[in-house]
Amino acid sequence: GNDFYSNPRVNGNQLAYITWNHPNMPWDATELRVLTLDSTSNKSSEHELIAGSDGDTSIIQPLFHPETGDLFYISDESGYYNIYRKGSDESILPMKEYDFGGASPGWQFGQQAYTFLNDGRLAAQYSKNGKSVLVVANVSDSSKVASDVVEFGSKDGLPMMFGGVHPGEGDDLYFLGGSPSTASSIYKWNLQSKGEASILACSSELSFDDDLISVPKLVEFPTTLGTAFGYYYAPKNGKYTCTTESAPPLLVKAHGGPTSCTGTSFNAGKQYWTSRGFAILDVDYGGSTGYG
C-alpha cells in the first residue's frame, strides 16, 4: 500500500479516497482513487485513478453529489485550488484564479471547503480582496460546468471571514467565522432571507468598543520570489491622537508554515498593540495558502 490515506467517501458500493507517498506532503502531490467495495484487490495501484496521475498535482477533498452520484474534488493543476468533477478537465466554477481549498489544504483531516445544499446546489467558499465569499451554483447537469452562479459576502450579512459551510434545515447554513471585533464563532445564516448572520456560540467573551478595534486592510508588496500579501492594522484608539510622529512604529508578524495563512478574526494580542499606538503587518508570505 501507499504511505498515507485520507478523506474516504462512500457512495453506494464506491469508495473514493486520497493517497500519497513520502516525501510528498498533501499539498505537493496526491492521487484520487476509487474502488468498488466488493473488489478483492487490496493494492492501491489497481484501484481506478481519477486524478493526480502526473505525480505533481495536489488533489484534496473528494465528495460525491447526493443526487447525481457525480464525484467532485479540488485540484491545484491550474496553479489554484479549483473544484472539478470526475470526467472533466475544466474547473466547474468561473473563479479560476482563486483558491477553494480552505486555510490549510491537506494537513488537517476533516477539512471540507465546499458542500452540497439540500436542493443539490453546490456551496463553496473562497477569499477575495481580504474577505470571504460564498458561492452557490447549480451543478446537477453532469455534462456541463456550473450554472446560475451567485456570490454572497459581507454586504449580505456574512462575517468578514468564514469557512466550513454546512447545510441545515431548509435554507439555513451553519459555518465557522469571525471578524476583527468578533472571535472565532459558530454562525447561522439563511440563504433566502439573508440579513445579519446570527452567532450561536463564540470562543471568547471579550468585547470592546468599535473605537478600539482596528480593521485590517489587505496589502500586497513585491519580494524576490514574487508578490507577497499581508493585512495592515493601523493604530486605533478613540481616546488618543498622535501628534509627534509622522508614521507609527510597526510590528511585523508571520504565521507558522509552510502552508496555512493568517486570518482577521478578533485577536486580543493584535488589538492590544494597535490600541496603544502601534501598527501591525500580519504577513502572508510566499507559499501561504489562498493565493495560488
Side-chain angles (χ1 to χ4, degrees), residues 7 27 58-61 73-76 80-83 95 98-108 110-114 124-127 162-164 259-261 289-292:
N7 298 88
W27 56 85
S58 172
I59 311 295
I60 58 176
Q61 301 180 23
Y73 58 91
I74 293 178
S75 169
D76 73 346
Y80 293 87
Y81 273 117
N82 293 157
I83 302 175
M95 306 83 174
Y98 292 95
D99 275 327
F100 285 85
S104 50
W107 59 265
Q108 286 186 342
Q111 199 171 28
Q112 195 70 42
Y114 67 101
Q125 175 271 332
Y126 73 98
S127 182
F162 61 87
T259 59
S260 190
C261 59
T289 299
Y291 303 95

Side-chain angles (χ1 to χ4, degrees), residues 20-30 58 258:
W20 68 98
N21 287 305
H22 182 81
N24 286 322
M25 293 295 186
W27 56 85
D28 293 323
T30 61
S58 172

Side-chain angles (χ1 to χ4, degrees), residues 164-206:
V165 178
H166 187 79
E169 293 185 0
D171 293 309
D172 288 339
L173 299 179
Y174 298 89
F175 48 84
L176 294 173
S179 70
S181 61
T182 306
S184 180
S185 302
I186 298 175
Y187 286 83
K188 178 183 178 181
W189 184 77
N190 189 275
L191 187 59
Q192 291 299 323
S193 61
K194 304 180 183 62
E196 196 73 18
S198 57
I199 296 177
L200 304 181
C202 184
S203 60
S204 174
E205 296 181 354
L206 293 175

Side-chain angles (χ1 to χ4, degrees), residues 112-186:
Q112 195 70 42
Y114 67 101
T115 188
F116 297 108
L117 304 180
N118 296 323
D119 60 7
R121 286 182 296 172
L122 172 82
Q125 175 271 332
Y126 73 98
S127 182
K128 181 179 182 180
N129 299 327
K131 296 182 179 181
S132 293
V133 178
L134 174 68
V135 179
V136 176
N138 184 354
V139 293
S140 296
D141 190 336
S142 300
S143 64
K144 297 181 179 180
V145 296
S147 60
D148 303 321
V149 180
V150 184
E151 294 186 346
F152 304 93
S154 55
K155 62 179 175 56
D156 301 296
L158 293 169
M160 185 173 180
M161 297 197 83
F162 61 87
V165 178
H166 187 79
E169 293 185 0
D171 293 309
D172 288 339
L173 299 179
Y174 298 89
F175 48 84
L176 294 173
S179 70
S181 61
T182 306
S184 180
S185 302
I186 298 175

Side-chain angles (χ1 to χ4, degrees), residues 204-261:
S204 174
E205 296 181 354
L206 293 175
S207 179
F208 297 93
D209 294 336
D210 288 343
D211 63 359
L212 285 174
I213 299 297
S214 177
V215 177
K217 175 184 178 182
L218 182 67
V219 298
E220 58 182 81
F221 51 93
T223 71
T224 55
L225 297 177
T227 302
F229 300 83
Y231 289 92
Y232 175 74
Y233 293 77
K236 185 172 182 181
N237 190 319
K239 296 181 179 179
Y240 301 95
T241 301
C242 180
T243 60
T244 60
E245 301 290 339
S246 59
L250 177 68
L251 300 176
V252 179
K253 178 182 180 297
H255 64 78
T259 59
S260 190
C261 59

Side-chain angles (χ1 to χ4, degrees), residues 77-91:
E77 63 183 80
S78 69
Y80 293 87
Y81 273 117
N82 293 157
I83 302 175
Y84 292 78
R85 188 200 317 255
K86 176 187 175 183
S88 175
D89 295 329
E90 183 180 1
S91 169

